[in-house]
Amino acid sequence: MNAVLLSALSEAISDHPSHVLQLRKIVVALAVSGRLGQRENSLKPDELLSLLEEGKASLIAKRSLPKQKRREAITIEQLPEDFSDPSLFVSLGEVARVEKGKTGIQQAKPGEYPLVVTAADRLTADHFDFDGAAAIVPLVSSTGHGNASINRLHYQEGQFALGTILAAVLPFDEAIFSARFLFEYLSAFKDELLVSRMSGTANVTLTLGRIEEVPIPLVPPSVQRQVDELMALCDELEAARTERETKRDRLAAASLARLNTPDSETFRDDARFALDALPALTARPDQIKQLRQTILNLAVRGKLVPRDPADEPAEALLKRIAAERDALVRKKEIRRESPLEPAGAHDYPHTIPGSWAWCQAGDAFLFTQYGTSQKAHASQSGVPVLTMGNIQDGKVIWGNEKRIPESSDDLPALYLKKFDILYNRTNSAELVGKTGIYLGDSDARTFASYLIRLRPSLSHSDPVYLNIAMNAPCFRETQIVPLIKKQTGQANVSGSALKNMLIPLPPLAEQHRIVAKVDELMALCDQLETSLSSADETREKLLDALLAEALAPVDANELKEAAE
């Protein structure tokens, strides 16, 4: 394994941010294991350590460095599990001083000097705390709440200020240990070396003393310089990936925007361009999610399937749904509700084909109903109660073990039937309005009070289409988001508001065709996601294999071959 092979592999495995991070780890591992072009004249670990001690002794004599306390030798228990020879390591406190930042971030006055904080971008300050190259380590957990984590370390040169919740690692002698190498090494193995040393319950922190205990490999300066050069290559890979993904995002946004708000005159050309650009639009899982949303928008705008002039217009369906609702009222299965205030043409969110009809949800469904107010408990007996957590990606999923007793007389009226649609009426702004279709065969399930059931007509509508329509991004943007924006605190879009929401209704036969086409296209999206996942897994396996090889112990013959 050498740098040439590493560079050759970079093109194939640098499509994902984590892959470049893994490449950095491989580079460091190659250096530590002695496979990064070490020569016979390279300094041996004991020679390097002697030079380091001489340099520190000189600094102490000049009173530039306080007398150092004696540190214990590194033991195998202190090493990350990937390494096995403690004789090749010393503690960080042997090679660098670790100092806490001196600038309160909130009180800092902007100025000409960079102020290093935990975020990726620098702030500025009117003073500097340190002058020189340093690896910067956060002292507080990135996530908090009892979880130990570090998002990133920083590398900084020159004069800079440093926040008090970070520490600067400053090498005693840059000619022997470079700050850039220390930064790359600590970054590559931050979870094993730094996160593992954090402690605390609510506030998880890292002390300067524990940072000083971190084992550092005795890598020759010439090899450290090679690491710096290869890390510059990784910097270029990351910059190229960022530029590439930025352009890809712009292409995807522009292409899908034209489809999400289609122009009848240019739609065919826009759709053709989007299809031709599909490989570029779907290189990441988040882009496939955008494609799924666009498919739903096209479905409810009448742009997904052709129309058949022989189809019965949607207005006729609404009349039959109303008749079916009246029959249920006469049978006293549901109660009669006051007619909805009709919506005007100015309320319609977008244009739809002439055979379609805009209708309010209260007219598109037979009835709506709030769930049970009984408090559910974890139990092995009783009736399962579905909650907001059971609504995911337009579907009702299982796995909720909470139940209520079967003793309530009115409970059977709240049992779900296949093709019922559940709507979440209250929670965070992101979750309010989420809708899922119930496809279970068992009726002996009910639902919580903050969910609303919409019962569709199975004879005069396609429930799956109605669920598609209520999950389309354009439905959420025009019917739900405006209501949420008017509220403060926890969002709540009530059943009354739900009944007045506008749904684009196609003829029944076209509803069936739309559902079939959406299923077909979503299956294609599934295949795209699977192929991306498979390719990503292949890259991960390759990187893991490279890392394992880079970390494998080097024998004398292999080191001799590398030197030749």
Side-chain angles (χ1 to χ4, degrees):
M1 168 59 66
N2 55 43
V4 175
L5 178 57
L6 183 68
S7 179
L9 287 167
S10 64
E11 280 297 315
I13 57 180
S14 61
D15 288 331
H16 193 280
S18 65
H19 296 161
V20 179
L21 294 176
Q22 191 80 327
L23 277 174
R24 292 182 186 276
K25 198 168 188 177
I26 290 171
V27 169
V28 173
L30 287 170
V32 174
S33 63
R35 288 181 169 83
L36 202 61
Q38 278 89 331
R39 303 298 180 183
E40 288 185 348
N41 61 354
S42 294
L43 290 174
K44 304 296 186 293
D46 56 343
E47 296 172 333
L48 187 63
L49 196 55
S50 295
L51 276 178
L52 185 64
E53 291 302 323
E54 290 176 9
K56 287 194 294 183
S58 176
L59 291 173
I60 293 171
K62 296 176 183 177
R63 299 183 182 274
S64 299
L65 181 70
K67 189 174 181 180
Q68 301 291 289
K69 64 179 181 180
R70 185 176 179 277
R71 297 183 183 274
E72 299 294 329
I74 296 296
T75 64
I76 192 168
E77 289 78 18
Q78 293 174 278
L79 296 180
E81 61 180 18
D82 297 314
F83 300 106
S84 58
D85 188 353
S87 68
L88 300 178
F89 290 80
V90 294
S91 62
L92 178 58
E94 295 278 5
V95 304
R97 71 181 195 270
V98 182
E99 294 191 23
K100 187 177 180 181
K102 304 171 185 178
T103 300
I105 297 173
Q106 299 297 328
Q107 293 77 36
K109 296 180 180 180
E112 60 181 304
Y113 300 101
L115 169 58
V116 184
V117 295
T118 54
D121 296 329
R122 305 289 194 268
L123 301 179
T124 65
D126 61 352
H127 67 279
F128 66 89
D129 301 323
F130 301 97
D131 187 357
I136 309 297
V137 179
L139 298 176
V140 296
S141 173
S142 301
T143 53
H145 306 293
N147 297 315
S149 69
I150 295 176
N151 283 344
R152 66 184 67 81
L153 277 70
H154 292 289
Y155 174 70
Q156 185 64 45
E157 296 179 341
Q159 296 173 330
F160 66 94
L162 183 62
T164 55
I165 56 173
L166 302 100
V169 178
L170 302 128
F172 293 129
D173 189 339
E174 271 280 337
I176 301 175
F177 269 96
S178 78
R180 177 64 189 256
F181 173 76
L182 293 177
F183 162 74
E184 297 293 354
Y185 167 72
L186 294 173
S187 294
F189 296 94
K190 65 181 175 63
D191 290 338
E192 301 95 321
L193 298 172
L194 298 170
V195 175
S196 64
R197 286 174 163 77
M198 301 184 94
S199 62
T201 52
N203 298 316
V204 182
T205 59
L206 186 62
T207 65
L208 300 185
R210 290 194 173 185
I211 296 176
E212 292 175 345
E213 295 170 355
V214 169
I216 300 297
L218 291 165
V219 174
S222 60
V223 177
Q224 294 182 42
R225 287 192 291 272
Q226 292 183 63
V227 171
D228 291 351
E229 292 171 1
L230 288 171
M231 291 305 175
L233 171 62
C234 289
D235 291 343
E236 293 175 8
L237 289 173
E238 285 191 316
R241 184 196 64 80
T242 299
E243 182 179 1
R244 183 174 62 251
E245 292 306 310
T246 299
K247 291 179 179 178
R248 195 196 305 275
D249 287 340
R250 288 174 181 170
L251 174 63
S255 300
L256 297 181
R258 291 180 179 179
L259 299 184
N260 285 323
T261 55
D263 184 323
S264 57
E265 295 183 0
T266 64
F267 177 74
R268 287 184 179 276
D269 291 338
D270 294 339
R272 175 53 55 192
F273 177 82
L275 289 173
D276 291 341
L278 191 60
L281 299 179
T282 56
R284 301 195 314 263
D286 63 300
Q287 291 166 337
I288 296 179
K289 181 179 179 180
Q290 294 175 32
L291 180 60
R292 291 182 187 275
Q293 293 175 334
T294 299
I295 290 169
L296 297 181
N297 276 345
L298 291 173
V300 299
R301 292 176 182 272
K303 299 292 185 181
L304 209 56
V305 299
R307 269 162 295 289
D308 186 341
D311 289 345
E312 183 182 45
E315 290 289 354
L317 293 179
L318 290 172
K319 292 178 181 178
R320 284 203 289 274
I321 292 172
E324 185 177 351
R325 186 185 305 109
D326 289 341
L328 292 173
V329 170
R330 289 194 296 272
K331 294 177 183 178
K332 297 185 178 181
E333 294 184 15
I334 62 173
R335 60 186 179 84
R336 186 179 298 279
E337 296 186 4
S338 302
L340 299 172
E341 187 70 28
H346 61 280
D347 297 316
Y348 300 156
H350 53 78
T351 59
I352 55 176
S355 57
W356 291 35
W358 280 107
C359 63
Q360 291 157 294
D363 291 330
F365 291 89
L366 296 175
F367 62 88
T368 63
Q369 191 172 22
Y370 286 84
T372 178
S373 58
Q374 290 192 62
K375 190 170 183 180
H377 301 277
S379 174
Q380 298 298 318
S381 61
V383 178
V385 179
L386 299 181
T387 66
M388 176 197 63
N390 296 103
I391 299 176
Q392 295 183 16
D393 298 325
K395 300 175 183 176
V396 175
I397 59 148
W398 317 127
N400 189 340
E401 300 302 323
K402 291 187 176 180
R403 299 169 182 262
I404 59 174
E406 300 182 52
S407 56
S408 176
D409 293 336
D410 61 351
L411 189 56
L414 293 177
Y415 284 168
L416 290 165
K417 292 185 178 296
K418 189 173 183 179
F419 299 119
D420 280 351
I421 292 176
L422 292 178
Y423 163 91
N424 182 50
R425 66 180 176 88
T426 182
N427 205 277
S428 65
E430 293 76 18
L431 295 176
V432 168
K434 294 292 184 181
T435 304
I437 188 167
Y438 178 81
L439 297 175
D441 292 325
S442 171
D443 291 345
R445 286 186 173 91
T446 188
F447 52 103
S449 59
Y450 51 81
L451 298 178
I452 297 176
R453 170 173 59 185
L454 298 96
R455 173 71 52 84
S457 167
L458 301 184
S459 302
H460 309 304
S461 66
D462 189 322
V464 179
Y465 168 79
L466 293 173
N467 186 56
I468 288 172
M470 297 184 71
N471 277 283
C474 57
F475 177 85
R476 180 170 187 82
E477 291 165 7
T478 60
Q479 305 301 299
I480 296 173
V481 171
L483 298 175
I484 295 175
K485 285 183 175 179
K486 297 177 181 178
Q487 302 177 7
T488 57
Q490 181 168 277
N492 189 326
V493 181
S494 66
S496 298
L498 171 61
K499 292 176 187 177
N500 285 282
M501 291 181 187
L502 292 166
I503 297 175
L505 191 69
L508 184 57
E510 190 169 347
Q511 292 181 41
H512 297 328
R513 294 196 297 273
I514 290 172
V515 168
K517 178 58 71 173
V518 168
D519 286 346
E520 176 187 336
L521 294 175
M522 291 302 178
L524 172 61
C525 290
D526 291 341
Q527 293 173 17
L528 289 170
E529 285 181 329
T530 300
S531 65
L532 283 180
S533 176
S534 176
D536 200 52
E537 288 176 5
T538 300
R539 293 187 179 101
E540 291 292 345
K541 289 178 181 177
L542 174 60
L543 287 166
D544 288 342
L546 293 175
L547 183 60
E549 181 181 345
L551 290 167
V554 60
D555 59 35
N557 291 332
E558 185 178 352
L559 193 57
K560 184 178 180 180
E561 290 175 5
E564 296 172 352

